[in-house]
Amino acid sequence: MKGPNLSDWAIRHAASVRFILALSVLVGLVSFLELSRQEDPSYTVKNMIITVAWPGADAATVVNMIAEPVEDAILSLPDIEYVKSDAQPERITFNVKIRDDVSPSRVAQIWGQARQRVGDIRGRLPETIKGPSFDDDVGKTYGNIYAITGEGFPLEDLRPYARRLRSAIRMLPDAGRVEFAGFPEERVYIDYDPARLAALGVDPAMVSTAVRDAVAINPTGSIVVGPERIRLVLGQVAGSLSALREIPLAQAPGSLTLGDVAVISKQLTDPPTFQMRVNRAPAIGVLVNLRDGGDSNRLGQDIGRIVAQEQRNAPLGVRFVNVADQPAIVKHAIGEFLRSLLEAVVIVLAVSFFSLGTRAGLVVALCIPIVFALTFAAMYGLSIPLHRVSLGALIIALGLLVDDAIIVIEQIETSLRAGMGRLQAVISSYPLTAQPMLVGTLITAIGFLPIALAQSSSGEYARAIFEVVAIALGSSWIVAVIVTPLFANRLLANDGHAGAESKPVYATPFYGRARATVAWVIENWRIVVAGTALLVFLSALLFATIVPKQFFPASDRLELIVDLKMAKDGDWRNTSKVTARLEQLLVQNKDVASTAAYIGGTSPRFYLSLENQPPSPAFAQIVVKTRDHAARDRTIKWLRSTLNSSFPEVRGRVSRLELGPAVGQPIKIRVSGEDFDSIKTAADQVEAMMRADPRARDVNQDFGEPAKTVRINLDMEKARALGISRSSVQQALSSQLSGMAVAASPAGRDPMAIVARGEEVGRSGMVRLENVLVPTPSGASVPLLQVAQLTPGFEAVELHRRSGRPTITVQADVADIQPVDLLSSWTPRLETIRAQAAGRADIIVGGVVEDSKKSQLSVFKQVFAALVLILILLIMQVGSVKKLIIVLSTGPLALIGVAMILSLFQIPFGFVALLGALALFGMVSRNAVILLAQIDSLVADGFAMFDAIVEAAIMRFRPIILTTLAATLGMIPLTRSVFWGPMAWTIMGGLIIGTAVTLLFVPAIYAGIFAVRRSADGSTAHA
């Protein structure tokens, strides 16, 4: 390598280098202790939820009047991938997704543009809608959740404890957003008997008007007194219950007050829209988000101290229950990875000591902590936390970072055995190894570069693989050329002596047989190259047909997610009762440690890859924490059996947490068209196809069955004669049956809605509907049946659209098979359904297949950039197009080992394994680069070409095998990881087989490209 000899410089400045090393180790140790800890890497969730409420409207009207204009406005933005609309009676939710290739730094700007576009069309939307409301922070994760329960305490009495806990946590330096879940809201209810009001000549509208007037806060002006301006305040705002009872009904006959005609009380919202229960007890949740760059462990310790203090101060019966404890999970996960890292270090050191000997092994061993120290310091400087991906990348890098040190030690020992003095052997290793090692190191690191460049959520999730591996490999090269020679000069024996040159270095019988093998390979290069090409082809065929495919594996955490879906028109009270039945069974199960139920919606996002469901009174979710992994697996089977046998009214789903971006049910097939009538038949055919296959579980479609309705047909002639309008009928129905908010109470810490409604006995039953009293302008009231006819019917309760097109999604889980493989088996039947639906419906495969393709494509798009960089480095190193072709041809050889090991053990090939396969190209090519550099060195020393190829293969055999063993065996601890296991097996198989084939393939193809042959007299000829 041109330039100054860094090894020589290090030895001549040994004192300075030793000081820098000690300082580096100290800085690395401090950096490791200060690095923030997380369970998983964060990534940008490029979704925004827009919600619009329209009381009184049916789902179809919501679609026509709200969905279409909002979708058109948002889809006019070029960076939007899709808009999914979920229209239900009286409300609609839009899920807006930004394209994956959009930079995270632009997401906030795009959400601002979306708000502006929707705001621009607000005037085209119905006047009576509520909203739109925007939530562009749906990816916020609350890893710490505490529930406050109180035996014998009403839920509303627990609010002061929740507020105090939230206030204290907000002051912590690592706390981000702190929110409530299931916080009980109170309302003031004015319950009246419509018949009694009618008998007294009181119109319910009089009640509403009187209440609004009594609690209204309006400007009252000010007066100027001298130099001062004094604000005027009108007192007697009716805030208390007693004040509300004394409100006079001015338009009523006599001197009636509100308390004379109605019962006024303060109650929790009836019925609730959302409730949290922990171990069957109603609870208030306090949700804590870790701030960006915060330390999870430190936050957990600080919250623990606050909760302990609050628990000591709380009365008997009030408990603070830890529902989600991410710091504990992070601590356990990092502890497991650090143990795996230590195991990998021990394995690598064992390889080094066994193969290199005590002194040389000690040199390699001393290099490892220095490389780690430099890596941790760089991670701290670049704000790369310790988490699942970065720690796994460290273990991957461990097997690679000793390669350079082994190569340098091997070169020094070769020179020593050849009779060179120790100092000269150490210094001379630099020009022979520095440049090939640097090029090989860069090529290996660039093999991971497509991960860093991939514009997708999966790429963002896994980006730390490249960052950490590149830092570690770069540090390993620096240590190899500076630190390794320094230690070698002190620790290796000085074996150089006069006359040693006459002793052959590789004169053992083993190397004799190896020479004969390489010589045969060169002479029969056509057979070797053709046989290798055939192996690559067969491996590709094996990979395509037998190796199972997946996206990301399920998490190994102990929580289970149980989704309970009732009929679409289900009542919240019924949902609560059904959920309570299952909770009772769960707490009796010895495998279950705790439960947290959320009725009316999903759990707060305590885990980044948790899929959220839209709120619904007919939906509940239970987070079940099991005691261990075996208990988790038993509980899954028990829950599925229990739901099938004891809960026929529920569509239940039991699932583990996901790794990587959230997908939900893995199999999703979308059927889209111009209207729902034209796509329903195709959707039903797809669902029937899935249900016929026992490998598909929990098959469902999101169109659902229509719900019951009662259509009220107003007799307009009778209504006009009595002076009754549509709005008066609507108000009568709403207030007497459901209750109508008439004002907000200004008293107390929590503003409360004041709701006027008919008494409980009059708010249920079809008979009461018929007898709803509709007020007339004369003060009298008439039964609803006198002016209207009631007709039972049905209506759609949920209409889904995707980017403006009606869409039905048919989805399923899988049983004992990968989703990709199951979908592949359905391809013929699916094509038949497509052909039958041509022109009416488009059928698109979504779910993990679609997400996996997007993620893989985002990586493949960046392979070209990585390949260009590799080509530039290779041509600079080998200086020949022919040699460049040789190196490039070795990359695909790793596929042989990958296909063999994955198919043999049926290990799924997913996104993470793909990244390992791409990185293998650089790892295998690196060996070829080093081998070619040795050939060039021997030719420069006067060796004939044939002999140079043979001797280079012999001389590089030991270091290449040793580095391959170190890298391969160092992966063993990762094979136990659910997340990293497929990548570890991929690299192990590809590196072992790829390296073995490379040692024979490179001499063969070199001989073929350069037309090397041995003359009959034993000399070498070449073109």
Side-chain angles (χ1 to χ4, degrees):
M1 184 173 183
K2 297 180 180 179
N5 188 320
L6 296 180
S7 301
D8 181 39
W9 177 88
I11 292 172
R12 286 188 289 104
H13 299 83
S16 299
V17 173
R18 284 195 293 269
F19 173 78
I20 294 172
L21 289 179
L23 185 62
S24 298
V25 171
L26 179 62
V27 171
L29 179 60
V30 174
S31 298
F32 172 75
L33 296 175
E34 291 297 318
L35 280 172
S36 63
R37 269 85 167 156
Q38 301 174 8
E39 182 181 9
D40 286 288
S42 58
Y43 60 89
T44 305
V45 178
K46 299 176 181 177
N47 293 77
M48 178 169 68
I49 303 298
I50 304 174
T51 305
V52 181
W54 189 10
D58 58 39
T61 305
V62 168
V63 167
N64 295 333
M65 300 296 291
I66 300 177
E68 294 183 3
V70 172
E71 289 167 349
D72 291 343
I74 296 175
L75 290 172
S76 65
L77 294 171
D79 295 315
I80 300 300
E81 179 181 345
Y82 63 75
V83 178
K84 291 197 295 187
S85 307
D86 175 14
Q88 300 178 19
E90 302 191 343
R91 62 179 292 272
I92 184 169
T93 301
F94 301 92
N95 187 338
V96 185
K97 174 70 165 61
I98 295 176
R99 292 197 332 266
D100 271 346
D101 58 357
V102 173
S103 170
S105 61
R106 294 187 54 230
V107 168
Q109 174 190 353
I110 295 170
W111 291 147
Q113 293 173 347
R115 282 184 169 89
Q116 182 179 354
R117 296 291 172 91
V118 175
D120 290 342
I121 57 106
R122 179 62 178 85
R124 294 167 47 195
L125 302 179
E127 294 182 1
T128 56
I129 66 170
K130 298 178 181 179
S133 62
F134 302 85
D135 181 9
D136 58 5
D137 210 7
V138 294
K140 189 69 72 178
T141 303
Y142 299 94
N144 299 271
I145 301 179
Y146 278 85
I148 302 167
T149 63
E151 186 177 353
F153 287 79
L155 194 59
E156 58 269 28
D157 289 352
L158 301 178
R159 291 182 298 187
Y161 306 105
R163 287 197 183 97
R164 280 203 300 270
L165 181 60
R166 181 179 67 171
S167 298
I169 293 175
R170 279 177 169 171
M171 303 302 293
L172 297 178
D174 293 300
R177 183 182 296 180
V178 185
E179 303 288 350
F180 290 134
F183 194 82
E185 295 183 358
E186 288 184 305
R187 293 184 174 185
V188 174
Y189 287 103
I190 302 173
D191 293 305
Y192 59 85
D193 180 354
R196 184 164 181 263
L197 285 188
L200 293 172
V202 177
D203 184 344
M206 297 179 189
V207 174
S208 303
T209 302
V211 172
R212 277 194 290 266
D213 181 70
V215 302
I217 299 178
N218 294 310
T220 50
S222 61
I223 60 172
V224 177
V225 180
E228 298 178 325
R229 180 177 295 275
I230 301 174
R231 193 171 67 88
L232 303 179
V233 179
L234 181 63
Q236 288 81 41
V237 176
S240 65
L241 295 183
S242 59
L244 288 172
R245 293 187 184 102
E246 297 302 320
I247 294 175
L249 300 178
Q251 300 176 1
S255 56
L256 295 175
T257 64
L258 187 58
D260 294 331
V261 299
V263 177
I264 302 173
S265 61
K266 184 169 65 174
Q267 305 175 26
L268 294 180
T269 302
D270 177 32
T273 57
F274 182 82
Q275 187 182 73
M276 177 181 182
R277 293 200 292 253
V278 175
N279 298 325
R280 300 179 60 212
I284 301 175
V286 179
L287 323 175
V288 186
N289 164 254
L290 178 70
R291 71 166 177 82
D292 293 340
D295 188 291
S296 178
N297 287 342
R298 185 169 58 207
L299 176 63
Q301 292 170 1
D302 291 343
I303 294 176
R305 285 192 291 270
I306 292 173
V307 169
Q309 180 64 38
E310 291 293 327
Q311 185 67 75
R312 285 192 293 268
N313 296 335
L316 187 66
V318 174
R319 296 183 61 235
F320 294 78
V321 183
N322 193 330
V323 175
D325 190 0
Q326 190 180 55
I329 292 172
V330 170
K331 184 177 180 180
H332 174 76
I334 290 181
E336 287 289 324
F337 266 106
L338 290 178
R339 281 192 288 274
S340 297
L341 183 61
L342 181 61
E343 292 173 7
V345 169
V346 170
I347 291 172
V348 170
L349 290 180
V351 171
S352 301
F353 280 107
F354 179 77
S355 57
L356 298 175
T358 303
R359 290 175 177 265
L362 183 59
V363 173
V364 174
L366 291 173
C367 291
I368 291 176
I370 298 172
V371 173
F372 274 131
L374 295 174
T375 303
F376 288 136
M379 288 175 64
Y380 182 79
L382 296 174
S383 299
I384 303 173
L386 288 177
H387 47 57
R388 185 191 311 272
V389 173
S390 61
L391 282 167
L394 282 172
I395 299 177
I396 293 172
L398 173 64
L400 302 174
L401 60 84
V402 297
D403 289 6
D404 291 342
I406 290 175
I407 290 171
V408 170
I409 287 294
E410 187 70 17
Q411 181 61 46
I412 292 172
E413 290 202 320
T414 298
S415 299
L416 289 173
R417 289 194 298 268
M420 192 177 292
R422 184 173 60 191
L423 179 60
Q424 185 59 34
V426 169
I427 295 173
S428 66
S429 67
Y430 181 83
L432 292 174
T433 61
Q435 182 169 318
M437 285 193 315
L438 178 59
V439 172
T441 296
L442 292 175
I443 289 175
T444 303
I446 291 172
F448 291 92
L449 182 61
I451 309 169
L453 300 179
Q455 297 296 317
S456 66
S457 297
S458 302
E460 191 177 353
Y461 180 87
R463 187 160 297 159
I465 298 177
F466 167 76
E467 296 170 340
V468 174
V469 169
I471 292 170
L473 292 183
S475 301
S476 74
W477 183 86
I478 295 172
V479 169
V481 299
I482 294 178
V483 180
T484 303
L486 181 66
F487 289 164
N489 191 49
R490 294 293 301 270
L491 296 176
L492 293 185
N494 189 358
D495 292 337
H497 55 84
E501 294 85 343
S502 61
K503 179 182 178 181
V505 178
Y506 300 100
T508 64
F510 171 80
Y511 283 114
R513 290 190 295 272
R515 281 189 179 88
T517 301
V518 176
W520 183 90
V521 163
I522 296 173
E523 292 173 338
N524 299 274
W525 65 268
R526 290 182 178 83
I527 297 175
V528 175
V529 171
T532 304
L534 180 61
L535 279 177
V536 171
F537 172 77
L538 292 176
S539 299
L541 189 63
L542 190 69
F543 182 84
T545 56
I546 297 180
V547 175
K549 312 297 190 302
Q550 70 174 187
F551 184 30
F552 279 95
S555 170
D556 56 355
R557 285 181 51 158
L558 299 178
E559 294 94 340
L560 297 174
I561 305 298
V562 183
D563 292 340
L564 303 176
K565 293 186 178 181
M566 317 297 156
K568 297 287 186 180
D569 54 354
D571 180 63
W572 186 92
R573 299 176 187 86
N574 179 64
T575 303
S576 179
K577 290 178 182 178
V578 173
T579 306
R581 283 172 46 210
L582 183 57
E583 288 177 277
Q584 176 65 36
L585 296 175
L586 283 167
V587 297
Q588 295 171 359
N589 190 318
K590 295 181 180 180
D591 287 331
V592 175
S594 64
T595 63
Y598 304 89
I599 301 94
T602 57
S603 161
R605 191 185 288 267
F606 66 91
Y607 181 76
L608 184 59
S609 297
L610 188 66
E611 184 189 36
N612 281 342
Q613 301 280 354
S616 169
F619 177 80
Q621 188 175 83
I622 306 177
V623 179
V624 180
K625 186 178 292 184
T626 56
R627 299 191 182 279
D628 52 46
H629 290 98
R632 181 195 63 197
D633 296 339
R634 288 194 298 269
T635 304
I636 290 175
K637 295 179 181 178
W638 175 81
L639 272 169
R640 286 173 176 161
S641 174
T642 301
L643 288 171
N644 289 334
S645 61
S646 303
F647 293 83
E649 73 274 41
V650 172
R651 180 164 65 80
R653 180 180 184 240
V654 183
S655 60
R656 291 166 56 183
L657 296 176
E658 301 177 61
L659 287 174
V663 176
Q665 289 192 269
I667 292 184
K668 288 184 171 70
I669 298 178
R670 298 192 302 271
V671 184
S672 301
E674 295 305 315
D675 56 72
F676 286 101
D677 291 337
S678 63
I679 64 176
K680 188 65 171 68
T681 300
D684 290 341
Q685 290 176 329
V686 172
E687 182 179 1
M689 175 194 71
M690 290 185 180
R691 290 189 181 278
D693 195 324
R695 297 172 296 177
R697 178 190 291 128
D698 300 332
V699 178
N700 64 91
Q701 59 172 271
D702 59 11
F703 187 73
E705 296 298 326
K708 298 175 183 177
T709 62
V710 176
R711 184 166 297 278
I712 301 168
N713 301 307
L714 196 60
D715 187 327
M716 297 308 297
E717 290 187 6
K718 290 182 179 180
R720 278 195 297 269
L722 293 171
I724 295 174
S725 64
R726 279 176 52 85
S727 62
S728 62
V729 174
Q730 289 172 336
Q731 290 180 10
L733 289 167
S734 179
S735 61
Q736 294 179 40
L737 298 179
S738 302
M740 177 180 293
V742 297
S745 172
R749 179 170 183 173
D750 298 303
M752 291 179 288
I754 301 176
V755 178
R757 63 183 183 179
E759 291 179 344
E760 175 67 29
V761 68
R763 284 186 278 123
S764 61
M766 292 296 295
V767 175
R768 292 303 303 174
L769 172 61
E770 298 172 353
N771 295 322
V772 165
L773 297 176
V774 183
T776 65
S778 65
S781 297
V782 298
L784 178 63
L785 278 183
Q786 189 171 328
V787 293
Q789 182 180 9
L790 308 183
T791 306
F794 295 91
E795 69 172 354
V797 292
E798 197 166 14
L799 300 177
H800 294 269
R801 293 159 60 90
R802 186 182 175 95
S803 297
R805 303 189 72 201
T807 302
I808 299 174
T809 301
V810 188
Q811 48 201 358
D813 290 307
V814 295
D816 303 323
I817 189 173
Q818 292 297 331
V820 176
D821 299 327
L822 182 55
L823 279 162
S824 297
S825 69
W826 290 344
T827 300
R829 175 59 180 151
L830 205 55
E831 290 302 321
T832 301
I833 298 174
R834 276 199 181 100
Q836 294 172 352
R840 295 182 293 106
D842 297 325
I843 299 176
I844 301 168
V845 176
V848 295
V849 173
E850 183 178 45
D851 287 358
S852 179
K853 285 181 179 178
K854 289 180 181 177
S855 297
Q856 292 179 7
L857 183 60
S858 71
V859 174
F860 287 136
K861 284 182 178 178
Q862 310 304 328
V863 169
F864 179 75
L867 186 59
V868 169
L869 292 175
I870 290 175
L871 290 175
I872 293 173
L873 288 171
L874 287 177
I875 200 65
M876 291 173 61
Q877 169 63 28
V878 300
S880 163
V881 175
K882 290 183 178 180
K883 294 177 182 177
L884 177 65
I885 294 173
I886 293 174
V887 175
L888 293 178
S889 65
T890 60
L893 302 183
L895 179 63
I896 301 172
V898 173
M900 287 176 58
I901 199 164
L902 296 186
S903 60
L904 181 63
F905 295 104
Q906 284 297 286
I907 299 167
F909 184 84
F911 182 76
V912 179
L914 168 67
L915 306 182
L918 291 175
L920 275 172
F921 180 87
M923 297 179 190
V924 175
S925 299
R926 179 186 186 185
N927 292 332
V929 169
I930 294 173
L931 192 55
L932 291 181
Q934 188 67 50
I935 294 173
D936 291 342
S937 175
L938 293 176
V939 170
D941 289 341
F943 277 71
M945 183 68 78
F946 189 99
D947 297 332
I949 297 174
V950 173
E951 291 305 314
I954 298 304
M955 296 174 68
R956 290 294 96 196
F957 175 82
R958 178 180 163 88
I960 287 177
I961 291 298
L962 289 181
T963 56
T964 297
L965 281 176
T968 302
L969 298 180
M971 295 284 176
I972 290 177
L974 278 183
T975 59
R976 300 193 301 266
S977 168
V978 172
F979 183 79
W980 291 105
M983 174 186 271
W985 286 110
T986 296
I987 292 178
M988 289 171 68
L991 204 53
I992 291 174
I993 304 300
T995 299
V997 175
T998 298
L999 287 171
L1000 299 177
F1001 178 75
V1002 170
I1005 194 170
Y1006 195 108
I1009 289 179
F1010 286 95
V1012 178
R1013 61 184 182 276
R1014 185 161 50 184
S1015 302
D1017 59 0
S1019 61
T1020 305
H1022 63 86

